[in-house]
């Protein structure tokens, strides 16, 4: 994408003009940044006491997947596991344009972080990530997952 | 809800029975085998049982497809046994007859299970290619 920057000391209101052919995820991300709505998740290290730990801002790009276990939501990154104080549905909606899609009742995965999809001997399909973890792509969510991949591909 | 379910099962029954009848007719033409009305009705009964058992698919989304197939096969075998017991009260079925009926039911089931497994493999391969394409396009945009 071509980037033009213009410095003008006389300007009264700074502004950004975006020329685009298609409303791709990248363009949406730019809009979010300008509107200061770029989603970021606040996470606390999962192995620390929530009251003592300090919140860490997580970049969605760094998250492999979100897992909802025992009424708690966890984000898995290369650095570690963080507890997120939001619901899975909220995160799914928030990160929809950032490559995140629901693959089961309790998991939302980042398609940009999937290393490989692989069917197991028992015919379940798993998404494998670079951290060695795997998440099952439930058959009930297969249609949504397929549609999401098609949509992302079309938009790019 | 019930209406939709009946519609779905009826559609499955129509498709499966048509496939079984046409395959049976073609086999009879080439192999010269003969069949009778009782066999045709039992085949229809098998198709009905298979359609109903397979319609339970959505109840097993949390278990593996393999476990689901084995469970459905055993359930279908049990229901077929009940059907054959009922039929044998009207017309006795020999041990060979029982074997033939189960073979007629099991062979298509195993073949279709294999086709299903292969379709999962192909679908996963296609999706892997799509994910790689999406990731590459995203990397290019990011850089």
């Amino acid at each position: 994408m071509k980037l033009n920057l213009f410095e003008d000391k006389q300007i009264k209101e700074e502004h950004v003009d975006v020329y685009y052919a298609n409303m791709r995820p990248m363009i949406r991300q730019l809009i979010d940044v300008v509107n200061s709505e770029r989603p970021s998740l606040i996470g606390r290290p999962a192995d620390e006491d929530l009251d003592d730990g300090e919140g860490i801002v997580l970049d969605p790009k760094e998250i492999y997947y979100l897992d909802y276990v025992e009424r708690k939501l966890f984000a898995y990154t290369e650095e570690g596991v963080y507890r997120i104080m939001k619901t899975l549905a909220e995160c799914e909606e928030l990160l929809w344009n950032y490559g995140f899609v629901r693959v089961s009742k309790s998991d939302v995965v980042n398609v940009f972080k999937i290393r490989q999809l692989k069917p197991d001997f028992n015919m379940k399909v798993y998404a494998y990530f670079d951290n060695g973890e795997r998440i099952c792509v439930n058959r009930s969510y297969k249609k949504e997952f397929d549609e999401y991949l098609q949509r992302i591909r079309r938009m790019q | 809800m019930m209406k939709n379910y009946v519609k779905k099962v009826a559609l499955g029954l129509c498709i499966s029975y048509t496939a079984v009848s046409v395959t049976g007719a073609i086999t009879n033409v080439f192999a010269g085998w003969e069949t009778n009305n009782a066999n045709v009705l039992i085949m229809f009964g098998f198709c009905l049982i298979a359609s109903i058992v397979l319609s339970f698919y959505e109840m097993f989304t949390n278990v593996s497809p393999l476990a689901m197939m084995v469970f459905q096969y055993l359930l279908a075998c049990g229901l077929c046994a009940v059907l054959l017991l009922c039929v044998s009260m009207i017309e006795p079925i020999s041990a060979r007859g029982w074997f033939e009926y189960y073979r007629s039911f099991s062979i298509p089931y195993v073949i279709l299970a294999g086709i299903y497994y292969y379709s999962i493999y192909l679908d996963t391969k296609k999706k892997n290619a799509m994910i790689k394409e999406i990731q590459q396009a995203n990397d290019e945009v990011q850089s």
Side-chain angles (χ1 to χ4, degrees):
Chain A
M1 188 187 293
K2 194 176 171 188
L3 179 66
N4 295 319
L5 297 173
F6 304 101
E7 187 179 11
D8 185 352
K9 300 283 184 197
Q10 307 300 318
I11 205 161
K12 285 181 181 165
E13 189 184 10
E14 291 175 325
H15 66 276
V16 176
D17 298 322
V18 180
Y19 298 85
Y20 63 93
N22 296 305
M23 183 54 77
R24 294 179 289 129
M26 180 68 181
I27 307 294
R28 283 198 185 280
Q29 287 172 26
L30 268 174
I31 294 167
D32 288 347
V33 170
V34 174
N35 289 336
S36 299
E37 288 172 2
R38 184 179 168 78
S40 56
L41 296 176
I42 308 295
R44 294 170 190 274
D47 53 354
E48 283 183 19
D49 187 344
L50 283 179
D51 294 333
D52 297 338
E54 193 174 312
I56 295 167
V57 178
L58 299 173
D59 186 341
K61 282 191 293 185
E62 303 303 322
I63 299 171
Y64 290 123
Y65 60 90
L66 299 162
D67 189 21
Y68 187 71
V69 190
E70 293 171 357
R71 296 187 170 197
K72 290 174 189 167
L73 182 64
F74 297 97
Y76 287 73
T77 69
E78 196 177 348
E79 280 74 36
V81 183
Y82 300 89
R83 183 166 172 197
I84 308 293
M85 304 307 283
K86 281 182 186 291
T87 66
L88 192 62
E90 281 172 349
C91 291
E92 186 188 5
E93 197 183 331
L94 188 72
L95 301 171
W96 173 255
N97 287 313
Y98 296 83
F100 285 77
V101 61
R102 179 83 74 114
V103 293
S104 72
K105 205 173 165 185
S106 55
D107 294 297
V108 168
V109 302
N110 182 354
V111 294
F112 297 121
K113 288 286 188 183
I114 293 175
R115 191 182 59 193
Q116 189 188 18
L117 287 179
K118 208 171 158 187
D120 213 6
F121 172 71
N122 61 15
M123 298 187 193
K124 274 189 175 183
V125 176
Y126 288 93
Y128 286 79
F129 298 88
D130 287 332
N131 61 351
E133 301 266 357
R134 66 176 194 173
I135 291 290
C136 180
V137 180
N138 193 293
R139 292 195 299 284
S140 315
Y141 291 85
K142 183 183 173 295
K143 196 178 164 199
E144 286 88 340
F145 184 63
D146 290 358
E147 284 173 357
Y148 187 80
L149 290 182
Q150 296 279 5
R151 177 181 164 268
I152 287 255
R153 190 168 69 162
R154 269 201 310 273
M155 289 173 88
Q156 285 178 331
Chain B
M1 185 102 171
M2 192 62 193
K3 198 178 163 187
N4 284 340
Y5 174 74
V6 172
K7 264 188 189 174
K8 204 169 76 175
V9 172
L11 183 66
L13 177 63
C14 292
I15 293 169
S16 58
Y17 186 64
T18 304
V20 167
S21 299
V22 171
T23 310
I26 292 169
T27 312
N28 287 343
V29 166
F30 287 103
W33 294 339
E34 286 186 10
T35 187
N36 57 39
N37 291 337
N39 278 343
V40 171
L41 287 173
I42 290 170
M43 278 302 168
F44 180 77
F46 278 5
C47 288
L48 180 64
I49 288 169
S51 301
I52 291 171
V53 169
L54 291 174
S55 71
F56 298 154
Y57 172 85
E58 285 169 7
M59 289 166 67
F60 299 100
T61 50
N62 288 328
V63 300
S64 75
L66 185 63
M68 180 192 72
M69 278 179 185
V70 171
F71 176 77
Q72 286 182 325
Y73 176 71
L74 294 176
L75 182 63
C77 281
L79 292 172
C80 286
V82 173
L83 175 70
L84 290 178
L85 274 175
C86 295
V87 172
S88 67
M89 286 176 189
I90 304 164
E91 192 175 347
I93 300 171
S94 66
R96 179 75 190 171
W98 277 84
F99 171 75
E100 289 293 338
Y101 278 126
Y102 270 98
R103 193 178 65 168
S104 309
F105 182 78
S106 302
I107 290 174
Y109 195 92
V110 171
I111 290 171
L112 290 175
I115 291 171
Y116 177 70
Y117 185 78
Y118 187 63
S119 74
I120 288 178
Y121 171 77
L122 283 184
D123 186 53
T124 308
K125 202 173 159 187
K126 194 176 133 192
K127 264 191 236 140
N128 265 327
M130 205 188 289
I131 288 170
K132 287 281 166 267
E133 192 185 316
I134 289 167
Q135 288 174 343
Q136 276 171 7
N138 187 57
D139 290 344
E140 281 167 19
V141 170
Q142 298 287 341
S143 60

